[in-house]
Amino acid sequence: MNFSRKQRVTVLGSTGSVGVSTLDVISRHPERFEVFALSAATKVDELLAQCAQFSPKFAVMASAPHAAVLAEKLKQNGLKTVVLMGDDALETIASHEEADSVMAAIVGAAGLGPCLAAARAGKRLLLANKEALVVGGELFMRTVREGGATLLPIDSEHSAIFQSLPEDPSTWARRIDKIILTASGGPFRTRAPETLSAVTPEQACAHPNWVMGRKISVDSATMMNKALEVIEARHLFGVSPEQIEVVIHPQSVVHSMVQFTDASVIAQLGTPDMKVPIAVGLAWPERIESGAARLDFRQMGSLTFESPDAALFPGLDLAWHALRAAPGTTAVLNAANEVAVEAFLNRRLRFDCIHAVNMETLERVAPSKPASLADLLAIDASARAAANAAALRFAA
């Protein structure tokens, strides 16, 4: 996409790790990008500092009290950013006619509404919120098509696949044999499964390669992040579940691969730094400086690959189970996992019981086919209620 003026960017979830990295890349190219709007949940001071640096037209906070505090602090500092509040405001800045691109970096199902709004408005949508696809599925992809939006994946694995494929999506179906998602294995790759009951939130959040938020760090430790990425890849690239494979790659240098029908494999490599896929999304089909370190192949050492251990990562197979089940099942899985991870981080659930909560919720909730955002939110609510009940039964 060629812009005759600066590209105006809305960053949803600007105080999280992906949002901060996005603003870092933007700051390196003031001649190409300007910040149109920012959003945060509760981090008032962080959002205030971002407003002071980037002068967005709008800033959105999740609640009225936080919005009021931010508005007062902006006024005290002589800043003219307009403060908005709540879910409707997120959809407003995601679909605003003055915004060109939307970085969707809100974690969890809360990001689905603004993602759909951006898709309906035909935005250049940089998707770091995997739940939009995991929960939204075909409904989300149909909205993208009907709205004429440009969808660019920001997860490092899906960006790697996207970069490895031809630019014309109409050729993908006849060329792709298999998509191979790589996974670091997280902090417990070599740990004995029977010791996982003693894992603490601090240990689970200590990822060996990536700097990430707490929820996604736990998902990496259970490999539920990879299960969600399998679901995401199925929708993004139009392949069957059977055409997606996961391999453990502890070095996190090969970010994912595509095997083509002629048996050749194309992979994308790079340092484990989210600024790389963010720069790809912002500038595609061009390339710009990301600020990430370069690979030095002479210093790299060996690159290794191995199969995931089903006893260590039982949640991984739930991706294929959910994709083969009734429409809406992936939304149930996502909601259950969010509840279970939150309970673990709050020390109300053992680490090894996250999978048990997810399994029980899938067994208890039979979704009807979702036809709207309201249907998806209803499925999400039912699944959360069942997951909360399950978490109580498995309470630490």
Side-chain angles (χ1 to χ4, degrees):
M1 183 181 293
N2 294 318
F3 290 92
S4 58
R5 52 168 173 75
K6 288 184 181 181
Q7 187 181 156
R8 291 176 293 213
V9 185
T10 288
V11 184
L12 304 173
S14 64
T15 60
S17 59
V18 172
V20 169
S21 292
T22 300
L23 293 176
D24 181 272
V25 176
I26 287 173
S27 70
R28 296 172 185 275
H29 303 279
E31 76 289 352
R32 297 182 64 115
F33 307 109
E34 62 181 279
V35 175
F36 174 72
L38 300 172
S39 84
T42 60
K43 296 179 180 178
V44 172
D45 289 337
E46 289 89 336
L47 189 55
L48 174 66
Q50 291 175 346
C51 289
Q53 181 177 356
F54 294 99
S55 301
K57 186 169 184 178
F58 297 107
V60 175
M61 303 274 343
S63 70
H66 288 102
V69 173
L70 177 63
E72 179 60 29
K73 290 190 174 187
L74 287 168
K75 182 179 179 181
Q76 291 172 358
N77 286 273
L79 301 173
K80 299 184 182 301
T81 298
V82 176
V83 179
L84 305 174
M85 180 275 296
D87 293 341
D88 288 346
L90 288 175
E91 295 189 20
T92 295
I93 63 171
S95 59
H96 200 286
E97 62 181 8
E98 294 182 41
D100 301 306
S101 300
V102 177
M103 168 58 77
I106 295 175
V107 175
L112 179 57
C115 283
L116 283 167
R120 282 193 297 268
K123 301 301 181 184
R124 183 183 178 98
L125 180 54
L126 283 60
L127 191 65
N129 173 286
K130 60 171 57 68
E131 289 81 8
L133 277 165
V134 173
V135 177
E138 289 299 331
L139 174 64
F140 178 73
M141 292 304 296
R142 184 170 69 248
T143 305
V144 168
R145 291 190 297 271
E146 292 174 352
T150 300
L151 184 62
L152 297 164
I154 301 301
D155 271 355
S156 61
E157 296 82 0
H158 301 93
S159 176
I161 295 163
F162 180 77
Q163 293 177 65
S164 300
L165 287 169
E167 286 191 24
D168 183 1
S170 68
T171 68
W172 293 354
R174 68 174 184 269
R175 295 188 182 191
I176 297 173
D177 178 54
K178 182 167 56 176
I179 283 174
I180 305 167
L181 293 169
T182 57
S184 69
F188 307 136
R189 179 178 62 88
T190 60
R191 187 159 175 155
E194 61 270 18
T195 69
L196 293 178
S197 62
V199 165
T200 66
E202 291 75 19
Q203 292 170 329
C205 291
H207 196 282
N209 300 338
W210 295 91
V211 178
M212 304 183 293
R214 283 163 61 81
K215 194 269 181 183
I216 193 172
S217 294
V218 175
D219 282 348
S220 180
T222 62
M223 273 189 70
M224 270 304 300
N225 71 320
K226 211 53 51 177
L228 299 179
E229 287 168 14
V230 168
I231 297 167
E232 188 179 3
R234 183 262 176 275
H235 292 297
L236 275 171
F237 305 111
V239 295
S240 69
E242 291 71 28
Q243 287 178 281
I244 306 172
E245 179 181 319
V246 173
V247 298
I248 302 287
H249 171 52
Q251 296 81 19
S252 296
V253 171
V254 177
H255 296 301
S256 277
M257 300 168 272
V258 179
Q259 180 170 291
F260 291 91
T261 51
D262 60 4
S264 64
V265 177
I266 295 179
Q268 187 265 336
L269 285 69
T271 52
D273 190 326
M274 283 303 298
K275 290 194 290 291
V276 175
I278 289 166
V280 170
L282 284 168
W284 189 264
E286 299 181 37
R287 298 278 181 165
I288 58 174
E289 169 63 37
S290 68
R294 266 58 174 170
L295 282 180
D296 185 343
F297 286 89
R298 295 165 298 182
Q299 301 295 321
M300 188 182 301
S302 61
L303 301 179
T304 60
F305 303 88
E306 59 197 62
S307 297
D309 183 338
L312 197 57
F313 305 115
L316 181 58
D317 283 342
L318 295 180
W320 289 272
H321 167 79
L323 284 170
R324 294 178 184 124
T329 303
T330 56
V332 173
L333 175 60
N334 179 76
N337 186 62
E338 286 190 16
V339 168
V341 170
E342 182 181 11
F344 166 69
L345 287 172
N346 290 327
R347 305 181 194 277
R348 293 185 285 104
L349 187 72
R350 288 202 327 247
F351 179 82
D352 62 332
C353 289
I354 293 174
H355 177 63
V357 169
N358 292 340
M359 284 288 293
E360 181 168 320
T361 306
L362 286 171
E363 291 169 0
R364 289 180 176 273
V365 179
S368 56
K369 184 175 181 178
S372 66
L373 175 59
D375 291 344
L376 290 171
L377 294 177
I379 292 170
D380 181 81
S382 296
R384 287 176 189 277
N388 275 306
L392 285 174
R393 282 190 290 278
F394 291 104

